[in-house]
Amino acid sequence: MPRLQQGVSLKPYNTFGIDVTSDWWYEIGKEADLLQLLSDNPVPRLPILVLGGGSNILFTQDFEGLVLKNNIPGIDVQEEGEDHVVLRVGSGVIWHDLVEFSLEKGWGGLENLSLIPGTVGAAPIQNIGAYGAELKDIFVSLEAIHLGTLSKQSFSLSDCRFGYRDSVFKREAKGKFMITNVSLRLSKNPVLNLSYGAIKQELEKLGITTPSVMDVGHTVMAIRNSKLPNPKQIGNAGSFFKNPVIPETAFSPLLSAYPQMPHFIQEDGIKIPAGWLIETAGWKGKSFNNCGVYPKQALVLVNYDGASGKDIIHLAHAIQESVFSIFGITLELEVNIH
Ligand code: FAD
Ligand code: NAP
């Protein structure tokens, strides 16, 4: 039976390893727990934070409210056809457990999204993406409970208004809902996307010419393990900033000044890797007050040992100012600040 707890340390529950406390804490194992808690207790008047794996959050102060730790389980086949399957997944399921489940079955759609930390319920919040795949490519719908009215709502693909690391849940609906389950459509005849990053080269190195979804998943895992800090060893929340997409008019003079600048043409402008901007501005590998810029990937800020959230946000602001003064580009934060 879940229990309302007071004064809980959030250090083990955020991948930056920031040592803050939440006034109240409650673990949600099923939808009914949430409905019962919020209808029986005076706590709904407090600010509420739904927490998954804490892998996209930076706490800069104690949380004066109620943290709902999401543990809602379950992976069920909702619909099955000759060429596809629709899974209904509990929002507390660990994202990579779902990926492994689909790889075992040989179902395609999640392989490029292997090894992203966190829960299924947080995946729609920023439309998680990696190696040319995004959640929206396989998304069918989700169910959520409004934290004020306790009404249940269903969101279709268009309702979620997914964008680049963006959705309605980072905008008008921010903080208003707890997502309880997500339905995803996977393919039984997958078309693999190998065009991105080092996937093709890695497969070639292994001598794999006709890869399975499992091969692609394992390749993505190997690349990620070689490049990214493991939060169990070094605190971090992955990419701290979004990659900026700038208009052609701003891009042309920059490319003349920096002909080696990597760039990718998008529908709405030109994407410049934020990691390249930060590295070129001289920040890669630098450390300050127990936090710093990861030496292998400048887009990742790290907590080496006991940094506070304020130390890390201070470093992030210094990087933003420096990149703006050199390139005239504003880096937007990807990580959620609390
Ligand atoms: P949390 O950090 O717990 O929460 C994030 C936000 O979502 C918060 O605002 C929270 O309130 C809200 N939220 C969480 N669950 C729910 C819910 N059920 N209902 C409503 N709101 C909710 N991201 C990518 O997109 N691509 C990557 O390749 C990637 N790589 C990463 C690598 C590393 C090493 C790390 C540490 C992070 C990486 N991330 C990446 C970021 C992160 O893993 C994802 O954003 C992930 O979806 C966050 O899940 P979480 O459960 O940890 O969310
Ligand atoms: P990378 O392969 O070194 O590439 C650097 C950047 O260039 C990436 O951010 C990527 O943008 C962009 N890019 C590369 N090839 C591209 C292509 N063919 N078309 C369009 N854009 C391209 O990146 P990395 O740091 O090792 O990360 C690999 C993938 O994992 C990326 O997709 C990245 O987003 C994802 N990742 C995300 C996080 C996170 O916390 N959000 C953390 C680690 C890794 P995109 O980022 O837009 O894909």
Side-chain angles (χ1 to χ4, degrees), residues 15 49-57 70 91 116-119 121-123 125-126 128-130 165 177-179 224 228-229 231 236-238 334 336 338:
T15 60
L49 173 68
V50 180
L51 190 64
S55 64
N56 205 11
I57 279 194
N70 179 20
S91 58
I116 297 180
T119 52
I125 306 289
Q126 73 159 15
I128 57 168
R165 306 289 190 269
F177 291 90
M178 173 165 182
I179 295 170
R224 292 181 68 104
L228 292 167
N236 77 94
E334 181 175 305
N336 301 282
H338 281 279

